Amino acid sequence: MSVATNLMALLRGEVQADRIVPRTGQTARLTLAVSAAMAFLAVFALALSLASGQLADRWSAALAQSATIRLSAADDQIEIQTRAILTVLSQTPGVTEARAMSDDEQRALLEPWFGPDLPVGDLPVPRLIEIIEDETGFDAAGLRQRLAAEAPGAVLDDHTRWRRPLVAAADRLRMLGWLSLSLILGATAAMITLAAQAALASNVQVLRVMRLVGAQDSYIARAFVRRFTHRALTGAAIGAALGMLAIALMPRAAQEGAFLTGLGFQGLDWLWPLTIPPLAAVTAFWATRIAAFRTLKGLR
Amino acid sequence: MIDMQDAAYGYGAEPILSDMTLRLAPGSFHFLTGPSGSGKTTFLKLCYGELLATQGSVTVFGQDTATLDRNAIARSRQRIGVVHQDCAFLDHLPIAENIALPLTVSGRDGGASDANMRELIAWVGLSARAAAHPPELSGGERQRAALARAIIMDPDLILADEPTGNVDWEMSLRLLQLLCELNRLGKTIVIATHDLALIRAAKAQVQARVLRIADGKLSAAGANL
Ligand SMILES: Nc1ncnc2c1ncn2[C@@H]1O[C@H](COP(=O)(O)OP(=O)(O)OP(=O)(O)O)[C@@H](O)[C@H]1O
Ligand SMILES: [Mg+2]
């Protein structure tokens, strides 16, 4: 029988198969509680992953154009040293692109401070060279040494590079978030397997009788699977709802990028925690099904 | 219907039954006797596949029970009505639902509400007790319910393990009557019993053979019972 037919049968509800297997009060409450707790935790792990992911993206975008070189030199030296700098940069590992800004671009940069009619060419404004790095970045100390030798008027300005380790940390945090999510999922599967096995073990006599009167394994398993899937779904829905509520109620600071207060869902991100209850249901479905078939294998 | 070739079975290293070769024809009526602990229940379990022969082969409905997969075993059990010695009921369900269990698990609708079902329950004298749970029934009531459950699927083969062990003589005869009627309809019947009077009573109605298990061996008992 295919999984789809199984799920359909589960949704429709096979009342008779359900009645045949006696109620299992304790494992029912256990499964419900564990699913709720795990879903609650999963919401936070998800929020952590998403928030640190966004942070990492934002910071690394800012990092990509983090470095500039300022060149101040005598008029006749400007062009020569600019070319020397570009040559050095083209040979520097970690530099994706380097480009001297045109007078127009420099004027645009300075406009907010000096107005639109600034005669850039007549002023001792340093020439700016923009550096675009790749992910690994370049070796700033080494570049400085070479620049000192080849273009004495050049100053490497990389003050935003201090964020690089933070981006790495945010990336790591995102990874840990996803890892936590998979651990939570695994733990849920393990707990439900244990609960299902306990329920099955305390009903071995029922399973035996059902086999003796000609019930197929899938029929017997379905009664258990339906119950545990239903409980996991209900528990996870409660847990996820509480988790989302807790996140929605978290105090928020206006400042962008403040990590702790940025722990939350934005816009469509709110759809993510809604996947937790179905995921818990699918996990319970398979965990119980596998446990049921394994138990039944011991009975002829 | 049932074919055994040098079949043997042992729960441990020692075989309890050995060298069983026999052929039960469709429509035949057999009694299985032997002292307590001789292996009558074990023999029946081999027939419906709860146990697999440790040697030789047991073939039911033309299929070797050792080669059937789990679903095939379930399907073949839907064609075999078994009265288990311990009755094998689900204690949390009313007796009527227990009787309807084979219908329920094989996905046949109607179940306990069916008119035939009510008639059958009345026939085994349990109408007043239909809503009771198995632990609330007497031993004889349970056996009657077990017989009702064994025949509810209209099986081709009926295996009854001490079906009259706990009922009075009158009820024993009624149950026997039912089994004889089923046999006349072409059903194959095997009854394990100690009750020689029952065997004699049956012989008056149908052509019944007697198989005897003693010392792990199966033999046809003489006609002098
Ligand atoms: N599950 C088991 N494990 C080990 N030994 C068993 C098991 N079931 C039965 N036996 C042994 O096998 C032998 C045959 O048992 P079986 O139940 O087939 O006897 P029986 O002829 O049906 O007896 P009775 O007339 O008392 O019902 C007995 O000695 C019994 O102790
Ligand atoms: Mg017995």
Side-chain angles (χ1 to χ4, degrees):
Chain A
M1 190 178 281
S2 78
V3 179
T5 358
N6 263 316
L7 281 173
M8 287 304 290
L10 283 183
L11 292 177
R12 259 188 284 114
E14 304 228 339
V15 186
Q16 284 189 311
D18 267 14
R19 271 181 54 68
I20 291 175
V21 177
R23 297 262 141 235
T24 47
Q26 199 192 337
T27 54
R29 284 191 293 276
L30 184 71
T31 313
L32 205 67
V34 165
S35 307
M38 290 299 188
F40 190 81
L41 293 178
V43 172
F44 283 95
L46 197 58
L48 179 75
S49 301
L50 290 175
S52 49
Q54 275 158 4
L55 210 57
D57 289 347
R58 207 156 52 222
W59 284 351
S60 56
L63 264 179
Q65 294 140 342
S66 65
T68 40
I69 290 175
R70 268 177 292 128
L71 173 63
S72 314
D75 281 355
D76 58 334
Q77 279 288 305
I78 287 269
E79 281 308 313
I80 299 168
Q81 290 200 18
T82 301
R83 251 177 280 127
I85 291 169
L86 289 176
T87 311
V88 169
L89 287 174
S90 72
Q91 294 159 353
T92 307
V95 174
T96 313
E97 205 185 318
R99 195 176 60 87
M101 285 192 183
S102 68
D103 283 352
D104 284 346
E105 283 175 295
Q106 297 219 44
R107 193 176 293 121
L109 277 178
L110 295 171
E111 201 182 285
W113 284 276
F114 299 104
D117 301 324
L118 186 71
V120 174
D122 300 343
L123 285 173
V125 176
R127 167 64 55 98
L128 294 180
I129 295 161
E130 184 184 56
I131 302 175
I132 298 181
E133 295 177 66
D134 65 13
E135 259 130 55
T136 50
F138 56 81
D139 166 23
L143 183 59
R144 271 202 190 91
Q145 272 181 3
R146 280 201 69 189
L147 286 175
E150 314 232 349
V155 176
L156 175 63
D157 182 358
D158 64 345
H159 61 270
T160 51
R161 301 186 96 229
W162 61 271
R163 277 184 171 176
R164 185 170 288 280
L166 285 188
V167 172
D171 262 333
R172 184 65 57 83
L173 211 52
R174 160 165 50 185
M175 243 178 58
L176 287 176
W178 289 115
L179 181 67
S180 310
L181 266 181
S182 37
L183 287 178
I184 288 172
L185 201 67
T188 309
M191 279 302 309
I192 291 176
T193 303
L194 286 177
Q197 265 167 2
L200 288 157
S202 65
N203 281 303
V204 170
Q205 190 51 26
V206 173
L207 303 184
R208 176 176 167 257
V209 170
M210 288 176 79
R211 279 297 296 174
L212 286 180
V213 296
Q216 303 212 338
D217 287 351
S218 55
Y219 181 90
I220 303 172
R222 213 177 300 149
F224 286 92
V225 167
R226 194 181 122 70
R227 263 183 213 181
F228 280 92
T229 304
H230 191 257
R231 285 170 197 157
L233 184 66
T234 312
I238 294 169
L242 290 177
M244 286 165 75
L245 188 70
I247 291 217
L249 292 179
M250 220 146 87
R252 225 149 261 270
Q255 186 203 352
E256 230 211 307
F259 179 71
L260 273 176
T261 54
L263 187 69
F265 301 109
Q266 266 107 45
L268 286 179
D269 281 352
W270 281 101
L271 294 179
W272 276 103
L274 296 183
T275 61
I276 292 174
L279 205 60
V282 170
T283 307
F285 176 89
W286 283 110
T288 315
R289 196 174 154 83
I290 292 168
F293 274 87
R294 196 179 302 142
T295 305
L296 284 166
K297 231 181 186 166
L299 297 165
R300 289 281 305 168
Chain B
M1 187 64 53
I2 298 177
D3 228 323
M4 291 193 182
Q5 288 294 328
D6 292 325
Y9 186 81
Y11 290 99
E14 284 288 294
I16 286 187
L17 298 170
S18 56
D19 298 328
M20 294 189 295
T21 297
L22 70 106
R23 163 169 298 207
L24 303 189
S28 62
F29 197 122
H30 284 86
F31 283 99
L32 187 62
T33 63
S36 178
S38 57
K40 299 183 291 298
T41 300
T42 305
F43 177 93
L44 294 178
K45 283 181 175 174
L46 288 170
C47 295
Y48 61 82
E50 190 175 357
L51 299 176
L52 290 182
T54 44
Q55 269 173 46
S57 67
V58 177
T59 306
V60 180
F61 300 130
Q63 290 167 308
D64 187 337
T65 54
T67 64
L68 295 178
D69 66 20
R70 296 181 61 80
N71 284 341
I73 288 181
R75 278 193 300 274
S76 88
R77 283 181 188 163
Q78 293 174 7
R79 298 174 64 192
I80 306 176
V82 183
V83 178
H84 299 276
Q85 194 167 14
D86 62 358
C87 290
F89 287 131
L90 298 179
D91 288 347
H92 61 284
L93 291 183
I95 204 68
E97 283 186 46
N98 266 289
I99 292 173
L101 204 54
L103 292 175
T104 311
V105 303
S106 62
R108 299 207 196 160
D109 285 331
S113 64
D114 208 60
N116 288 343
M117 172 74 201
R118 274 202 303 277
E119 198 182 324
L120 179 62
I121 290 178
W123 204 90
V124 292
L126 288 175
S127 298
R129 306 291 287 145
H133 288 72
E136 300 158 11
L137 297 185
S138 74
E141 285 170 331
R142 273 206 293 277
Q143 277 184 332
R144 285 182 269 154
L147 183 63
R149 187 180 71 183
I151 63 180
I152 196 160
M153 292 282 278
D154 190 21
D156 303 317
L157 173 61
I158 296 168
L159 306 173
D161 200 350
E162 305 281 4
T164 59
N166 287 309
V167 297
D168 57 63
W169 178 240
E170 206 173 322
M171 182 53 77
S172 294
L173 286 183
R174 259 178 74 189
L175 297 183
L176 179 69
Q177 196 101 42
L178 173 66
L179 289 166
C180 290
E181 262 167 49
L182 290 167
N183 180 241
R184 276 184 219 109
L185 293 174
K187 315 291 181 197
T188 310
I189 294 180
V190 180
I191 302 175
T193 185
H194 296 117
D195 192 344
L196 299 187
L198 190 74
I199 298 177
R200 266 181 233 112
K203 283 196 159 183
Q205 300 182 49
V206 290
Q207 214 190 359
R209 296 235 174 85
V210 180
L211 300 170
R212 190 175 165 76
I213 300 179
D215 303 326
K217 301 277 190 265
L218 193 67
S219 57
N224 57 337
L225 269 164

